[in-house]
Each structure stands twice: as structure tokens, then as C-alpha cells.
Amino acid sequence: MTTTIHHLPVPAAMPRFVDPFDGFFDREGGAPARAPGSLLDTGEARAWFEHLAWGVEQGLYGYQQPVEAVAGVRVRSNGRWLLSLSSYDYLGLRGHPAVAAGAVAAVRRYGTGSGGVRLLTGTLELHRALERDLAAFKGTEAYLVLGSGYLANLAALTALLGPRDRAIIDAKVHRSIVDGCRLAGVPTTRFAHNDLQHLERALAAGHPRGRTLIVVEGAYSMDGDLSPLPGVVELKRRCGAFLMVDDAHSFGTLGETGRGADEHWGLPGGAVDVWTGSLSKAIPAGGGFVAGSRELMVFLQHAAAPFIFSAALCPSAVGAARAALAVLRSEPERAVRACHNGAELRRRLGEMGYDTGSSTTPIIPVLLGPREAAYRAARRLFELGVAVSAVTYPAVAPTNSRLRLCATAGLSDPDLDTALDAFRTLRQELDLPHATAP
């Protein structure tokens, strides 16, 4: 699909994006010259500098905008209150009093830092309590909490795989999974996104001396669609492979109680050998996790570099995560509300003619094609009081840019109306073909 957005000059009275580069790029003269032979005297660096200079000059560089305050689904940025429509706060718990109280109580008892790595002096009783809480909620034997979801994927993949093994990964898995496979030095094959037949052919094509690990995501962060997990589980059983699922965007949002992809599909947590995920999305804290059997967690404590060589998650994040998990367990309707809001927003955007791809979750891409189209659409929505993220290359293909929306449980019906009014105004300024029916 090709999309053209008319050039919309930014009137002087309109709010401008904050320049996160502090004047490094001259709005009139473009990117500063770099000395020949410098570390950044490369074709890739030159291309990025030219692109960034263009974005700043055009007033379209909307990334890294500082948030000054948060009030529910609204954020104060650039001196204005905006409706936040791209936040990962799927359950609407960011700023929840109980979650804030959990963070404060943890700091008062344990201080601001962990004091070391988990293996040595950094493990707090609070870390172990969170791991027990998570295991009880998810229904797996054990959990291991790390500094981020990115580190959790690196920890699992580099500790478990090597050159004798092989990884077969979905074509659209997160960059951290790709990086983890590279660091592990494991031969890696990508299968077409959510294509079980292609996965089966990849499994049948050769046999490594070691093990085969399939890696998928519960919900995909760019397209908002789901992995066909029951079929993947069946294939891994039939072919004698192992399975790792990154549950970062499905943990807390899918299933009647928010347990994640396994609950959505009616699978026991043990159907998957390795779970990974994030504690900074539906759980608005920080950190990530690896989950699975108790023997796996014991092994990772002495084999996973991010557990051994990276500082333990700070007490405030652990306290906030425990409190958020408690709220989710007592208020599972939050997960239901997030999915309802996603379905409503997707339906009404479709009625306007927007293409939301294959989304079936609270993650909703608005597909626009060229990256300039995504930049200009995000800029116009910013002017209309709605904060959205433009997602472009390298996160997606150069011709597949989009706005990525996140329908959180905190959005009320009037909030949805406000967002859709802005998209209706935007649509009047787009030369956009109507999405074709599937």
C-alpha cells in the first residue's frame, strides 16, 4: 500500500517537538560535517546523520520527547497535556497508588540500589518473593528476575545454546532474540511469520549434533498478532525440539486473568520449556524474567551472564512489580478491559479506512507505508493533542512504516472518542486508500 501525506507546514503558533540533540543539527544547515577518518566516517553513519538532520529541520523528529508528568492516560510533554496512545501501560497501572506505595516501601527498607549482582551480594529477599509470586501466578515451577526483558532473552539463549545446537525463530521476533542467538553462536534459521508449514519444513531440514530450540513470541510487538501457540507446541513435541516463548507483550494482557499466551490458548504453563518476558509493560516497573523448570533456573543462576555480571534489579522496581502483580490478581478485569479497548479502537479505525493489519490484541498498527508518512501523521496527531509513536526502519521494513497504538485498560470511552476524533481529522488530510477487507 502506498500512502502520501501532504506536506503540512508547522505554523509558528503550533507546538514544536523538543530537540533532543540540543542544537547539534542546524535547522537550516543540516548535519555538521565529520572529519575524514573519524570513527563515524562511514556510509551508515552519514545516512543516519542526514536523515536525522532532515527530521529536525522539518520539525518531524518526535522521538525522545521528555515527559514532565503523568496523570493516568495523559502525559505532560512540551508544556502540554496529551492523550497517550502508544504507552506499554496495558493495564493502566502506571501511577496506581498501590504500585507507587510498593516502590516507596521497598526503598525505605532496602535503599535505592541492590548493592551488587544477583549471584553475589545483590539478591534481596524481595527478589525471591517476587519470583515466588510470579511462579504462583503463571503456574510454572520457578522464575528468575533480571535487569530487563532484553537481558532475559540474552540470558536464556546464550546460556542454553551453542554452535552444536540450532535455533529456529519466527521472522518477526524481537531484536533481543536475534542478538541472543548471535551471541550464542548458534546456527539460526528464520521461518515465515506464524507459518506452521514453514516451521515444520525447517525442523525437518537437517539435524544438529545438539538440540533444536524454537523461539516465538506470545504477542508480536509490531503487528499485534498472536503466535499460533498450540500448533507450535504440537510441532515441537512431534519433532523432539524445545520451545521458548517471549511473553513480554502477552503477560498481563491475554487470558481471563492476564496470565498470558498460555491462558489465552488454554495451555498449561509447562507446555513451553522456557518463558521470558518483561516487567515494564503490563507490569509498570522494570526488569525482565525467565521462567520454567526449577532445574533450569538453578542452571541459569550459574550460567547466564546477565545474572552473574549485571547489577540486580533495584528495590523500587521489584517492590512496584510485586504490588502491580497483586493488583492484577485482584482485578483481572483490567486485562479484559485492555482487550475490549483494543477491539473497539481497531474496529472504529477500520471503519474510517485505516489499515490495522493482522492485529488481534491491544497492540494496533496503523500501516502507512513510507516512513515520512508515519512521521507526518505522528506530528499532526501531536498537534491535535494525541501522543503516538511512529515506528519505522530498522524496527520494520522501510516501506512498512506505521503508527503503533496501544489500547490500555486506562482508556475510558470518552478517551477513545478523543483519539478517534483526532484520527478522523488526520484522515481528511491523508491521500490514503481504504484498507481492503481480508
Side-chain angles (χ1 to χ4, degrees):
M1 179 185 69
T2 301
T3 302
T4 301
I5 294 189
H6 302 299
H7 284 245
L8 304 171
V10 181
M14 281 291 186
R16 277 193 170 274
F17 286 135
V18 168
D19 177 5
F21 307 114
D22 296 324
F24 180 80
F25 297 106
D26 187 329
R27 288 188 182 274
E28 302 299 330
R34 286 165 302 289
S38 74
L39 185 62
L40 293 177
D41 185 22
T42 66
E44 181 181 11
R46 284 192 293 273
W48 270 113
F49 278 113
E50 290 170 4
H51 181 67
L52 295 175
W54 170 83
V56 171
E57 180 184 356
Q58 294 289 317
L60 295 176
Y61 189 90
Y63 304 116
Q64 305 182 67
Q65 296 302 293
V67 172
E68 301 151 10
V70 178
V73 295
R74 282 172 171 72
V75 296
R76 184 174 174 85
S77 180
N78 299 334
R80 305 167 63 224
W81 285 99
L82 306 166
L83 178 65
S84 178
L85 206 60
S86 288
S87 170
Y88 285 148
D89 182 27
Y90 296 123
L91 300 179
L93 293 177
R94 186 180 180 189
H96 190 286
V99 178
V104 171
V107 170
R108 285 176 174 161
R109 181 167 181 175
Y110 298 98
T112 56
S114 59
V117 300
R118 285 291 306 271
L119 186 65
L120 301 178
T121 61
T123 293
L124 309 174
E125 196 284 328
L126 197 60
H127 290 115
R128 294 175 61 82
L130 174 59
E131 288 164 351
R132 290 191 295 269
D133 291 347
L134 287 165
F137 177 71
K138 186 73 170 177
T140 54
E141 285 188 7
Y143 261 71
L144 205 62
V145 170
L146 296 104
S148 70
Y150 198 106
L151 288 178
N153 281 334
L154 294 189
L157 292 165
T158 57
L160 292 172
L161 300 179
R164 293 170 56 89
D165 306 306
R166 66 172 175 171
I168 301 179
I169 65 178
D170 188 284
K172 291 190 176 181
V173 293
H174 191 264
R175 173 64 181 266
S176 58
I177 293 169
V178 176
D179 287 350
C181 290
R182 288 173 176 165
L183 285 172
V186 61
T188 303
T189 300
R190 292 195 183 207
F191 67 93
H193 178 55
N194 282 346
D195 188 331
L196 292 176
Q197 292 183 336
H198 193 191
L199 172 58
E200 185 172 15
R201 290 196 299 273
L203 286 165
H207 299 281
R209 290 172 291 172
R211 300 147 301 166
T212 296
L213 181 70
I214 304 167
V215 189
V216 300
E217 295 187 26
Y220 286 88
S221 62
M222 292 299 161
D223 293 283
D225 56 349
L226 302 178
S227 171
L229 202 52
V232 177
V233 168
E234 174 57 29
L235 279 176
K236 79 104 176 177
R237 286 175 177 163
R238 193 188 330 148
C239 298
F242 298 91
L243 175 60
M244 173 174 153
V245 175
D246 183 342
D247 217 23
H249 291 271
S250 40
F251 181 80
T253 59
L254 294 185
E256 291 184 0
T257 67
R259 202 176 74 214
D262 51 334
E263 184 177 39
H264 173 83
W265 292 108
L267 296 169
V272 171
D273 300 286
V274 187
W275 293 96
T276 63
S278 171
L279 298 172
S280 60
K281 295 176 175 60
I283 302 297
F289 62 78
V290 184
S293 69
R294 188 168 301 280
E295 68 174 359
L296 175 61
M297 296 309 111
V298 170
F299 172 74
L300 290 178
Q301 289 171 39
H302 294 85
F307 186 86
I308 302 170
F309 298 110
S310 188
L313 190 61
C314 66
S316 58
V318 184
R322 286 197 77 200
L325 186 61
V327 174
L328 172 57
R329 280 157 49 186
S330 64
E331 302 177 15
E333 63 272 14
R334 287 179 177 268
V336 176
R337 176 70 187 183
C339 289
H340 165 80
N341 283 346
E344 183 68 7
L345 184 57
R346 187 166 49 246
R347 179 184 68 80
R348 293 170 68 181
L349 286 169
E351 289 174 351
M352 292 184 200
Y354 286 104
D355 186 350
T356 58
S358 55
S359 168
T360 58
T361 69
I363 304 167
I364 304 171
V366 176
L367 303 176
L368 295 174
R371 61 183 176 181
E372 182 179 348
Y375 293 152
R376 294 192 179 279
R379 168 75 222 195
R380 185 67 182 115
L381 288 168
F382 169 75
E383 294 167 4
L384 295 168
V386 178
V388 300
S389 295
V391 178
T392 66
Y393 179 82
V396 295
T399 58
N400 201 22
S401 298
R402 78 272 315 266
L403 304 177
R404 184 174 58 177
L405 314 183
C406 297
T408 71
L411 290 168
S412 65
D413 290 342
D415 292 329
L416 290 174
D417 290 339
T418 296
L420 289 157
D421 285 344
F423 272 92
R424 191 171 293 107
T425 298
L426 179 66
R427 173 123 187 106
Q428 295 169 357
E429 300 167 348
L430 295 180
D431 178 14
L432 177 65
H434 278 266
T436 56

